[in-house]
Amino acid sequence: MIQLENLSAGYGGKPVVRNVTLDFPTGQVTVLLGPNGSGKSTLVKAALGLLPAMEGEVLYDGRNIQELSPKEIAQRAAWLTQSRDTPSILALKMVLHGRFPYSGYPRRYSREDYAIARSAMEATGSLPYENENVRTLSGGQRQSVYLAMTLAQDTPTVFMDEPTTYLDIRRQLEIMNTARELAAQGKAVVLVLHDIALALERADRVAVLREGELVCWDIPEAVFRSGVLQQTFRVGLHRMDTPHGIRYYYTEEAE
């Protein structure tokens, strides 16, 4: 399990997130919510060791992240980034990049690597275009390839930064279903989202960041009842019971 203890991190000596204590339990989906600039992506980068802690520490199963090599970190946590370059490469070869933490140099993929990569592609619906160039794929298809690459890394913790951006509603729901399936397999899944309703309906825990500080971290219903989302996003937030479970919706102004 990854734990953040009184963590402060940022850029150029200036903290973006301050004094955050938070953990990401195995078998659960944790969603990070907050306005633009609240520090969500910065927090994820610090949790992955891509940004050093200015104060506090990041622990992987009780070990300080500073004691781990980049390869050891990559074997413990995978990251689906929000923005990325699109190389000219076949989709299967891209997904095989997820096996880098387990290979030496020069990289020679084993039968097991190929099996894991194809299994990840099947899970994300990208297997039919394994031999197509990633640049020729649609935005949603590319996203499924990158998600497959993340799953092929086969780590106990999976971070996804805005994985539903630019996807249609069906694909958004499929991404959330994948997150839930990974949690059911015993993985810790951490999502950075902007969709409040989707987070409240699908997460096990919701962490709310505002101006670099963790202002709430609890089960979705408790976060909803706290009023912190209304205060943070300055919207009206409501819930209703439906035949398919509790659904949340928001209005323009907080009430």
Side-chain angles (χ1 to χ4, degrees):
M1 181 171 67
I2 298 177
Q3 298 168 282
L4 314 180
E5 298 286 348
N6 301 311
L7 178 69
S8 295
Y11 309 89
K14 182 178 180 180
V16 174
V17 292
R18 297 179 295 278
N19 196 35
V20 173
T21 295
L22 179 65
D23 61 60
F24 306 116
T26 56
Q28 292 191 10
V29 175
T30 300
V31 171
L32 305 181
L33 286 176
N36 291 333
S38 60
K40 303 183 298 297
S41 295
T42 299
L43 188 71
V44 170
K45 290 178 182 178
L48 290 162
L50 301 175
L51 280 177
M54 301 174 73
E55 292 183 8
E57 57 185 356
V58 178
L59 302 174
Y60 278 52
D61 296 324
R63 292 181 63 189
N64 193 301
I65 195 173
Q66 295 178 353
E67 300 174 7
L68 303 175
S69 69
K71 185 173 183 177
E72 289 175 317
I73 295 171
Q75 291 175 350
R76 290 164 171 80
W79 182 33
L80 177 64
T81 63
Q82 179 182 6
S83 58
R84 62 189 75 86
D85 295 328
T86 303
S88 179
I89 187 174
L90 297 183
L92 177 59
K93 294 295 185 181
M94 172 61 73
V95 175
L96 281 166
H97 286 186
R99 304 303 299 161
F100 280 6
Y102 308 97
S103 61
Y105 187 84
R107 295 185 175 92
R108 292 186 176 89
Y109 300 114
S110 66
R111 290 183 180 178
E112 181 184 15
D113 290 328
Y114 276 96
I116 290 173
R118 287 195 169 96
S119 177
M121 296 187 78
E122 185 174 12
T124 62
S126 58
L127 189 58
Y129 33 91
E130 64 174 313
N131 293 316
E132 296 186 32
N133 191 305
V134 176
R135 287 186 176 175
T136 67
L137 302 178
S138 68
Q141 290 171 335
R142 288 180 187 177
Q143 185 75 333
S144 66
V145 170
Y146 284 111
L147 178 57
M149 180 178 66
T150 305
L151 300 188
Q153 200 167 326
D154 193 24
T155 55
T157 301
V158 178
F159 289 90
M160 302 185 197
D161 194 352
E162 296 290 350
T164 60
T165 300
Y166 307 125
L167 299 182
D168 59 39
I169 294 174
R170 180 175 179 177
R171 287 293 296 141
Q172 291 178 32
L173 295 176
E174 288 175 354
I175 291 288
M176 296 306 296
N177 288 339
T178 298
R180 295 252 34 113
E181 290 168 4
L182 292 172
Q185 295 169 16
K187 296 181 184 292
V189 183
V190 186
L191 305 176
V192 175
L193 293 180
H194 276 297
D195 191 322
I196 301 171
L198 196 60
L200 292 174
E201 291 167 9
R202 297 300 184 97
D204 295 297
R205 293 269 174 172
V206 175
V208 184
L209 291 169
R210 183 170 63 214
E211 297 180 353
E213 296 182 353
L214 180 65
V215 294
C216 190
W217 173 41
D218 214 324
I219 62 173
E221 179 64 14
V223 174
F224 168 76
R225 292 187 179 279
S226 73
V228 72
L229 291 171
Q230 294 91 322
Q231 298 165 10
T232 299
F233 289 94
R234 300 178 66 183
V235 296
L237 185 60
H238 315 274
R239 55 166 286 174
M240 61 182 176
D241 293 319
T242 77
H244 303 287
I246 296 173
R247 293 294 180 262
Y248 297 87
Y249 65 99
Y250 34 89
T251 53
E252 187 174 354
E253 295 294 336
E255 297 179 357

